[in-house]
Amino acid sequence: KPMSSVDCEVVALSPRYAEVEYYDIAAMEHGALVSQCNKRRFIVACSQKWELELGDMIEVGYEGFYQASGDPKHARILRKRVDLL
């Protein structure tokens, strides 16, 4: 299956999971600024190898969205985005 990705900010952490937040660009009205866009949150599994901290930016890969919740399917961390602040 083709994989898409989204850049997310880590907003909460536990030893095995991270709660992340991203701008819901797909639901944005035409002509609106990104800062006016709603944010969405979801949980992604993570291991200690990522060494995540609150506020880190990460790229999360996924395979579509769950119809009921709108959360990304099979979400997984692809990399830390040290190039994004």
Side-chain angles (χ1 to χ4, degrees):
K1 266 189 155 177
M3 186 181 352
S4 300
S5 67
V6 63
D7 294 325
C8 303
E9 180 181 359
V10 176
V11 295
L13 282 170
S14 75
R16 298 180 61 199
Y17 298 97
E19 184 175 10
V20 297
E21 185 174 71
Y22 69 99
Y23 286 106
D24 190 6
I25 303 292
M28 192 165 84
E29 293 183 23
H30 179 71
L33 300 173
V34 172
S35 60
Q36 297 171 323
C37 185
N38 290 333
K39 291 183 178 181
R40 292 191 53 106
R41 288 185 178 199
F42 66 97
I43 304 295
V44 63
C46 66
S47 65
Q48 290 183 342
K49 79 173 188 174
W50 292 108
E51 299 178 1
L52 296 178
E53 297 179 10
L54 294 179
D56 281 349
M57 295 298 293
I58 58 174
E59 183 178 5
V60 176
Y62 62 93
E63 298 171 5
F65 294 91
Y66 290 107
Q67 194 167 11
S69 66
D71 290 345
K73 284 184 186 178
H74 312 295
R76 58 200 164 279
I77 299 172
L78 300 178
R79 65 184 174 134
K80 275 178 98 170
R81 294 295 309 261
V82 295
D83 56 326
L84 298 177
L85 299 176

